[in-house]
Amino acid sequence: MIEEGECDFTLDEAQKAVCQCLSVAMGDHSLLSFITSDSLDLLPNYFIDLLMRAATSNDDYRQTLSLAVKLNVSSALKTVNLGSLFNDEQFENILVDALCYDYRIDVVDALLDSHPYLHVTPRLLMRWLDNVVDLDFFNIVVVGQCLGYSNKLTTFGEDFANNMDSLFFRLSGGFSNLFPVDYFSQPNPTKDRSKSMQILALWALCLNQVEVVKCIWAHSPEPMPLALVMSRIAKSLAFEGREYFFYEERLKRLAHYLTNAACNLLDEAYKSAPKPAYLTLCQKLSNFNRLTMTRLAYEVIYILSIYFLSQKLIIDK
């Protein structure tokens, strides 16, 4: 029996020795490792790291990264070139897995960072819809109440895309082509990242996935105008869903967040470079009725005031 103080090796050395003994039957890539009890929260990270080191083929890497998405381990996604590992359909699959859950927001961020030319397909939106946890807001408020559908959405066709574009036109107070049909129907997928992020963010908004909306919005090349328009839409949807307190409050908070975010962006831009910031306000925005930022901000605020005044009068009656 070894008495206390007689050991001439450390705990770390003992762990390595045990790993070496057990790895004899495991080949060159050991999946055995030790972590301290206070690092249990990082267990998924350790697990994915071991699998990445043990991977010997592209299939191994794809399977490991797909698991990383499910475990919300974003660090693994940032260490490889996803474009060389995943084709468009495969990338779409892991993106859907990430988008369906708010707690996977870190991997959503990493995936959007890695794919600058993402094209949003009807299949992606429908798979996202089919796998999202809470469908009540979409089915009851968006599809049933706003669009007047009597049944749940089962297919994404041209008529539905037209209806959604018309709905966003109404909810935004007159901004057209926010959900353009020709984006989905054109033979050659567009590389317009602004439009792709806009469509993804609007779909997330209809699913009432507030944190996902924020993440997607942050990846838009046109964050200020998109924030203002989406703030307007979020407030309109909050009113449409006013019978459901939880949904209404979430959307109101989101609208407030987006408005403040747009103001903060402009403030920071002006502090760092006043002249370019001013010029940005004067440029016409092709995705937003060709308005300038100043005109867009004015119209959004004006429309909001008129809209909610009219709704208050309707309620009072």
Side-chain angles (χ1 to χ4, degrees), residues 154-172:
T154 56
T155 58
F156 189 111
E158 186 174 319
D159 289 341
F160 172 72
N162 267 317
N163 291 338
M164 288 295 287
D165 192 43
S166 298
L167 174 63
F168 289 129
F169 179 83
R170 175 170 67 84
L171 295 177
S172 66

Side-chain angles (χ1 to χ4, degrees), residues 180-226:
V181 179
D182 57 1
Y183 175 94
F184 302 103
S185 60
Q186 57 189 310
N188 297 317
T190 179
K191 301 299 183 182
D192 185 350
R193 184 171 176 83
S194 294
K195 190 61 71 175
S196 297
M197 293 301 105
Q198 180 178 302
I199 290 171
L200 281 179
L202 288 171
W203 194 254
L205 181 58
C206 288
L207 296 175
N208 206 255
Q209 289 186 270
V210 169
E211 296 306 316
V212 177
V213 170
K214 294 177 184 178
C215 179
I216 296 171
W217 162 78
H219 285 269
S220 171
E222 298 180 306
M224 281 193 289
L226 182 59

Side-chain angles (χ1 to χ4, degrees), residues 15 33-44 46-47 50:
Q15 290 175 350
S33 180
F34 290 95
I35 62 172
T36 59
S37 58
D38 57 358
S39 299
L40 287 178
D41 289 342
L42 297 175
L43 184 59
Y46 284 107
F47 184 56
L50 286 171

Side-chain angles (χ1 to χ4, degrees), residues 62 67 75 80 86 108 119 131 141 194-195:
R62 278 191 287 268
L67 180 60
S75 56
V80 296
F86 295 92
V108 172
H119 179 74
N131 290 280
V141 178
S194 294
K195 190 61 71 175

